[in-house]
């Protein structure tokens, strides 16, 4: 990720996405200015880290006052590359894929589903939340024609290898992989994010153990 995020560590990028959510919350409360300590409290991060992160990207607050929320949101969105709408295609319209297609939050964050793909003829041609399901055989052509930049994989892992061959990595720059398949990305200019919710539960299980120890 180091190269793809232009030398910025993944941890900082993740923190920026957290700041953005906190700034939206503050904006909804009709605040105009926010202090780094307030952001820190909302995000559960040290205020010195918040200040250091923003300074690194040239986002400076007003001395003694804080940050103008609107400007900071604009700046963080710019850093994260969220200013332009990105075209997304989803592959595998089963239980998970259907839920993802129905989620409005992606569009609000500037990610637009331009198409979905499956091999099941009973699904092809139908729509989920207005998004058309195409035959997986047409994936290559579709990516080219519709400037697809991001692919979401929600197929059985055994299907991934053959699908990956049809993804033009000159066009697609990001893959959100929900399957357990390991994608071969070495030497390729693409960012792959593997999502595993059982891993998240394992983390919760570990942290619960620590909490229980503290209480005892
Ligand atoms: P599902 O069986 O309901 O859906 C899979 C869909 O993929 C079906 O519509 C099927 O027709 C389609 N498909 C199969 N082969 C295909 C191919 N070659 N090309 C295009 N479409 C194809 O499965 P699900 O419950 O939605 O799970 C989907 C994937 O997500 C699985 O790999 C599962 O393990 C994974 N999953 C991961 C998490 C996580 O936390 N990462 C959580 C839930 C599911």
């Amino acid at each position: 990720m180091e190269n793809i995020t232009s030398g910025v560590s993944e941890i900082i990028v993740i923190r920026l996405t957290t700041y953005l959510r906190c700034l939206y919350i503050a904006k909804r409360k009709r605040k105009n200015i926010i202090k780094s300590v307030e952001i820190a409290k909302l995000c559960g991060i040290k205020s010195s880290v918040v200040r250091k992160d923003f300074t690194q990207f040239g986002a400076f607050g007003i001395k003694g006052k804080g940050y103008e929320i609107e400007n900071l949101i604009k700046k963080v969105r710019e850093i994260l590359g969220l200013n332009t709408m990105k075209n997304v295609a989803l592959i595998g319209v089963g239980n998970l894929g259907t839920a993802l297609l129905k989620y409005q939050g992606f569009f609000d964050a500037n990610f637009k589903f331009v198409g979905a793909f499956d091999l099941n003829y009973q699904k092809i041609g139908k729509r989920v939340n207005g998004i058309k399901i195409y035959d997986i055989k047409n994936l290559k052509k579709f990516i080219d024609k519709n400037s697809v930049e991001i692919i979401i994989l929600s197929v059985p892992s055994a299907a991934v290898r053959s699908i990956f061959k049809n993804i033009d990595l000159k066009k697609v720059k990001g893959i959100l992989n929900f399957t357990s398949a390991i994608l071969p990305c070495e030497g390729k200019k693409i960012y792959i994010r593997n999502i595993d919710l059982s891993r998240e539960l394992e983390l919760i299980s570990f942290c619960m153990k620590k909490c229980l120890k503290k209480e005892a």
Side-chain angles (χ1 to χ4, degrees):
M1 175 103 175
E2 192 88 22
N3 291 337
I4 289 177
T5 54
S6 326
V8 179
S9 86
E10 191 175 31
I11 293 282
I12 297 181
V13 180
I14 291 170
R15 279 208 298 269
L16 287 175
T17 63
T18 309
Y19 299 149
L20 192 58
R21 277 152 185 78
C22 295
L23 292 169
Y24 286 146
I25 292 171
K27 191 183 161 187
R28 276 200 296 273
K29 288 184 182 162
R30 298 183 188 280
K31 278 174 76 92
N32 294 324
I33 302 272
I34 191 162
K35 290 192 161 90
S36 54
V37 278
E38 293 174 279
I39 301 175
K41 207 172 160 192
L42 275 169
C43 302
I45 295 167
K46 278 187 185 167
S47 59
S48 56
V49 175
V50 174
R51 279 193 298 275
K52 197 172 156 206
D53 284 347
F54 287 148
T55 309
Q56 178 174 341
F57 292 104
F60 302 106
I62 311 160
K63 221 177 164 139
K65 278 191 154 185
Y67 299 90
E68 278 181 35
I69 293 175
E70 199 62 60
N71 277 348
L72 199 53
I73 288 178
K74 209 171 143 212
K75 183 86 194 170
V76 177
R77 286 181 62 87
E78 201 178 282
I79 298 163
L80 293 173
L82 297 175
N83 290 342
T84 50
M85 186 73 85
K86 292 189 172 54
N87 288 349
V88 181
L90 177 136
I91 308 175
V93 193
N95 292 312
L96 180 63
T98 304
L100 293 172
L101 290 174
K102 285 182 178 172
Y103 179 55
Q104 178 62 25
F106 296 134
F107 187 80
D108 296 342
N110 254 356
F111 298 98
K112 184 183 175 194
F113 281 120
V114 287
F117 289 83
D118 209 289
L119 49 60
N120 183 336
Y121 283 111
Q122 286 177 334
K123 297 182 183 181
I124 294 166
K126 295 205 169 123
R127 285 178 189 268
V128 174
N129 198 19
I131 300 135
K132 193 165 176 187
I133 305 170
Y134 297 91
D135 189 336
I136 188 67
K137 284 186 205 141
N138 300 324
L139 178 68
K140 215 173 184 170
K141 246 199 239 159
F142 186 93
I143 290 175
D144 206 34
K145 239 179 134 183
N146 295 277
S147 313
V148 173
E149 288 180 84
I150 298 173
I151 296 273
I152 298 183
L153 286 174
S154 50
V155 288
S157 27
V160 168
R161 195 167 276 273
S162 66
I163 291 170
F164 194 69
K165 279 191 214 147
N166 284 312
I167 297 177
D168 183 350
L169 299 181
K170 284 195 192 93
K171 304 258 157 41
V172 175
K173 292 290 159 225
I175 296 181
L176 189 58
N177 175 28
F178 281 94
T179 79
S180 52
I182 309 286
L183 299 173
C185 66
E186 210 176 307
K188 298 184 171 93
K189 283 197 170 165
I190 184 162
Y191 179 55
I192 297 168
R193 187 103 189 136
N194 300 302
I195 306 292
D196 184 347
L197 297 179
S198 14
R199 193 184 297 173
E200 303 298 322
L201 284 172
E202 284 162 19
L203 254 166
I204 288 184
S205 162
F206 174 79
C207 296
M208 276 167 65
K209 261 173 58 185
K210 272 176 78 178
C211 291
L212 290 172
K213 256 190 196 167
K214 270 186 192 167
E215 275 174 20

